[in-house]
Amino acid sequence: MTPQQHSHIVIGGGISGISAAHYATRAGIDSLVLEQDTRIGGCMQTAMFDTLDGFWIEAGSHSCFNSYGNLIDILEPLGLLPLATAKAKQSYALWRGGKRSSIFSALHLAELLRSLPRLFTQSKAGASVAEYYGRGLGRRNYQDLFGPAFRSVICQRADDFPAEALFRKKPRRKDVLRSFTMPEGLQQIPRAIAERSGIEVRTGQGVEAIETAPDSAQPGYILRLSDGSRLGCRHLTLAVPPDVAARLLQPLAPEAAAVISDIGVVEIDSLLLAFPKDALTIPELAGLISVDGPFLSAVSRDFLADPRWRGFAFHFPADTLDDAARVQAACTALDTTPEQAAAIRHTRNRLPSLRKGHGQRLQALDTSLQGSRIGVTGNWFLGVSIEDCVTRSRQEHVRRFGDDLPRRQ
Ligand SMILES: Cc1cc2nc3c(=O)[nH]c(=O)nc-3n(C[C@H](O)[C@H](O)[C@H](O)COP(=O)(O)OP(=O)(O)OC[C@H]3O[C@@H](n4cnc5c(N)ncnc54)[C@H](O)[C@@H]3O)c2cc1C
């Protein structure tokens, strides 16, 4: 049977895939997004608790910023920017030696003052996070405070991460909230972009394999889905983690696949806990940066106060503790017990593990993709932030379909 034919198929329904489909749709190219999960959003994952009056906790990303220019350029014409909701400004605390303490307690001020000038004069190019920030903030500051803080941002050891991929400087839109979420959490963003752009999304549709269409008069690709069905398309965008991209690209673009297979992936066990407000005594906080605890970081839901509930997401390196031990570790850090929790949920996140030398890897990948109808996007190009994903999707759109989009660097 001839597979159903589409103009453009995007594999992966995270923000990279949804933004790629948005750009194509805006350029008049009908796009179908195939997502293996039962929901779209990927790491933009908001856990909704129906039994707690719809209270939600971010299981993945929690903040967008007014420096996310490409994202804002998508939200604005779709009428979504007015939904941006301010996050209350709160401080993170350290979790060290089994106790919460202030960030300043770990700061070596004299060393910071001595080192800081180097931060503004040295280049990030080719340096690892440990090299760049160790020089610019001081070795002891890096070891005791900033290393753990960066680890908590990227949910993995930060030392070998490329400095260029962490905190890329981007211009701010002063008329937009500095740090924002959405009324239903950040997962609302990919969902609303898909709905308002008129993108067709099919969930529960994992792609198992891709081959080149046999008809050379009609170039394109045939996709084999997890349910055994097949779909054809003229243009294809991969917006999946690097290990999946390497596997899918192997038969079509072995050179690109070889470069991608060098990029690792880390898995994160994320634990969500909701408590009645009066069951907790710890003061409101943004979250915890773990220096030596079993978790990497914790992010609270205090940024958007709820009259009845408080919520936390604790992120652990995958498979290091069982469910009960994770719950106990989180409750200890919150001065409470598992019995006080109104809801507990476990989920898993995946993030790329970028390493020094990533820039050369990407150059090799982009060279091998030149002239190809296949676009490859994700959080493993410019960096892991939501804006980095959207920016890569935009670049891949322009490479293949031309620059019909409003100008932005
Ligand atoms: C705990 C955590 C906190 C974070 N906090 C922030 C933050 O505050 N701000 C920020 O900017 N960024 C943050 N990030 C990073 C950011 O959320 C992610 O990097 C970004 O959302 C990734 O989007 P993506 O589309 O590239 O990948 P993903 O979100 O991983 O999406 C890939 C999608 O592809 C699907 N898929 C995989 N294989 C297949 C297949 N074979 N067929 C079909 N579909 C497939 C997956 O199911 C998934 O939905 C955070 C990340 C984590 C994990």
Side-chain angles (χ1 to χ4, degrees), residues 314-328:
F314 278 77
H315 303 292
F316 294 80
D319 302 322
T320 49
L321 293 179
D322 64 24
D323 288 1
R326 283 199 298 277
V327 172
Q328 187 53 58

Side-chain angles (χ1 to χ4, degrees), residues 61-205:
S61 44
H62 44 88
S63 308
C64 286
F65 299 94
N66 64 359
S67 56
Y68 286 11
N70 283 310
L71 177 71
I72 291 169
D73 282 352
I74 293 180
L75 299 180
E76 201 163 28
L78 294 177
L80 293 170
L81 206 47
L83 293 181
T85 305
K87 292 183 65 190
K89 211 163 182 257
Q90 283 152 340
S91 305
Y92 279 87
L94 286 187
W95 180 253
R96 188 177 48 173
K99 285 204 300 261
R100 287 190 308 276
S101 52
S102 101
I103 288 197
F104 295 104
S105 67
L107 194 65
H108 305 284
L109 194 58
E111 186 192 52
L112 181 69
L113 294 174
R114 269 198 318 274
S115 314
L116 260 185
R118 282 197 288 271
L119 193 64
F120 302 108
T121 50
Q122 64 176 340
S123 160
K124 278 186 173 177
S128 69
V129 164
E131 288 165 349
Y132 179 80
Y133 289 101
R135 282 194 295 261
L137 300 166
R139 290 274 150 223
R140 288 170 68 215
N141 276 317
Y142 182 81
Q143 186 188 303
D144 295 347
L145 176 57
F146 293 99
F150 298 150
R151 184 178 62 206
S152 83
V153 170
I154 54 175
C155 288
Q156 59 189 283
R157 231 175 98 87
D159 296 2
D160 300 330
F161 206 80
E164 282 170 291
L166 191 72
F167 311 133
R168 287 189 320 111
K169 204 166 164 42
K170 312 165 194 103
R172 292 190 177 277
R173 270 272 304 259
K174 295 271 167 54
D175 58 326
V176 175
L177 292 166
R178 196 170 200 284
S179 164
F180 62 90
T181 179
M182 286 279 161
E184 294 167 23
L186 287 188
Q187 196 179 315
Q188 194 175 352
I189 289 183
R191 220 175 38 221
I193 293 174
E195 277 165 19
R196 296 209 182 176
S197 308
I199 298 166
E200 186 186 351
V201 177
R202 295 186 193 166
T203 52
Q205 301 268 277

Side-chain angles (χ1 to χ4, degrees), residues 12 14-16 35-36 42-43 60-63 68 206-207 315 379 384 386:
I15 190 64
S16 298
E35 166 55 51
Q36 69 178 7
C43 294
S61 44
H62 44 88
S63 308
Y68 286 11
V207 175
H315 303 292
N379 55 0
V384 299
I386 292 162

Side-chain angles (χ1 to χ4, degrees), residues 341-357:
I344 297 177
R345 207 175 283 176
H346 300 269
T347 184
R348 191 161 264 205
N349 278 298
R350 307 185 87 220
L351 279 175
S353 167
L354 309 184
R355 291 290 164 258
K356 204 176 143 175

